[in-house]
Amino acid sequence: MKNKNYESCLMPFSKDPGIRETEKYCSYCFKDGKLTYEGDDINEFKKHAYEGMRSKGMNIFTAKFFTWIIGFAPRWKK
């Protein structure tokens, strides 16, 4: 069975509001042919993702939950 979530943020494919350039990453994580966060510090990425979710109107508890979930994404497995 093919993965149904993106490899960096674990957003479900069906929830991506933008136009994807790749099947691995959502339209927020990958733009103009590259990752929008190219670093390897998961805590910095989580901060970036949390701020993005809050700026889009997501409530604090839901944003914190989805931020926690990011730690399970394939991109961050070591």
Side-chain angles (χ1 to χ4, degrees):
M1 182 174 170
K2 192 173 181 181
N3 189 9
K4 294 185 180 188
N5 298 1
Y6 296 108
E7 292 192 17
S8 191
C9 64
L10 288 181
M11 180 192 308
F13 291 168
S14 63
K15 299 294 183 184
D16 190 351
I19 297 171
R20 297 186 291 218
E21 294 179 32
T22 176
E23 291 298 312
K24 287 177 75 173
Y25 302 108
C26 73
S27 61
Y28 294 119
C29 291
F30 195 89
K31 288 184 183 179
D32 301 323
K34 64 181 184 170
L35 291 167
T36 57
Y37 178 77
E38 294 180 334
D40 61 1
D41 184 341
I42 189 170
N43 292 320
E44 281 296 315
F45 180 76
K46 283 181 173 184
K47 180 180 175 187
H48 175 75
Y50 175 80
E51 291 169 355
M53 287 182 258
R54 292 292 291 142
S55 74
K56 300 280 188 233
M58 187 177 286
N59 77 57
I60 192 170
F61 300 108
T62 304
K64 284 187 177 195
F65 174 74
F66 286 126
T67 299
W68 174 74
I69 291 291
I70 289 171
F72 298 98
R75 176 180 177 192
W76 306 108
K77 299 283 182 180
K78 300 213 178 197

